[in-house]
Structures are given as structure tokens and as C-alpha cells.
Amino acid sequence: EVQLVESGGGLVQAGGSLRLSCETSGFTFEDYAIAWFRQAPGKEREGLSCITPGDGNKYYVNSVKGRFTISSDNARNAVYLQMNSLKPEDTAVYYCAATTQEYGGSYTDTLYDYWGQGTQVTVSS
């Protein structure tokens, strides 16, 4: 059974940091691309960053480049999102999702086969 489990969300003040974790199981980690998405109330889900653990390639959208860092621990089949300099507009539910490696860097959510349940990030001003 495929599972993706996010953790690490919470309440933080503007300018603060959080590190999200995505623990995965049930598929060959290095054959997939793992991305982070978020969805704020009343807004569409947006892709943020993606990593292909097999070759280590990393992708970021412009809105988070320089503030967020994606990484993976292939021994643990886990992906992390270090978020620094958080802003109130970063408040959202954050999800990790998996797709086959060929789609690495794409944020078309219909390409993603597996999703976690999400973790809430709230940034206060």
C-alpha cells in the first residue's frame, strides 16, 4: 500500500521557519518525483517544489525560490521542505505528492498518483 505522510506543520510568526517532512512507503522511492503543493482557503492548489530522488534534481517555483529548500533522505524514503522567512501568505495546507520520475518538475496535479493527507501551516503577522 502506498502511503505519504506529512508532518511538521504548525503555527509560526512571520519571518520564522518550519521544516515539513514527507515519509513515503509502498513504492520505489528513487523511481518517482516527489513534490510539495499547498492550498490556501479559497484558492487553487499550487505546486511549490519538486525533487527526483533518483538523480537529485530539484525544482522550485519563483514564489518560493530562495526561501524554501527541498531535500530527500533516500535511506528513509523521505522528502523534506525547509521553509524560511515565512510570510502570512504562506498560510495553507501543505501536501506532498508522488509521480513517476519523468514528470519531475511538473506541477500538474493530475499527473500525481499519490497524495498525503496534508499538514496545516499557519503564519501569523
Side-chain angles (χ1 to χ4, degrees), residues 108-122:
T108 303
D109 54 9
T110 53
L111 293 176
Y112 284 78
D113 302 306
Y114 308 114
W115 292 82
Q117 81 290 349
T119 186
Q120 175 71 47
V121 171
T122 303

Side-chain angles (χ1 to χ4, degrees), residues 45-117:
R45 185 161 53 194
E46 63 171 330
L48 304 173
S49 183
C50 182
I51 189 168
T52 45
D55 58 18
N57 286 334
K58 303 176 183 182
Y59 309 86
Y60 299 94
V61 298
N62 287 338
S63 61
V64 304
K65 202 173 291 185
R67 295 193 301 129
F68 292 7
T69 302
I70 195 168
S71 62
S72 69
D73 183 337
N74 291 16
R76 295 175 183 263
N77 291 345
V79 172
Y80 307 99
L81 188 68
Q82 177 68 42
M83 307 188 295
N84 298 329
S85 303
L86 284 163
K87 307 173 184 179
E89 51 264 44
D90 293 317
T91 295
V93 178
Y94 284 68
Y95 301 89
C96 61
T99 184
T100 50
Q101 188 177 7
E102 63 187 305
Y103 297 122
S106 171
Y107 301 109
T108 303
D109 54 9
T110 53
L111 293 176
Y112 284 78
D113 302 306
Y114 308 114
W115 292 82
Q117 81 290 349

Side-chain angles (χ1 to χ4, degrees), residues 5-10 19-23 36 81 94 96 117-119:
V5 180
E6 303 95 336
S7 61
R19 185 185 189 229
L20 305 184
S21 299
C22 175
E23 309 271 346
W36 286 97
L81 188 68
Y94 284 68
C96 61
Q117 81 290 349
T119 186

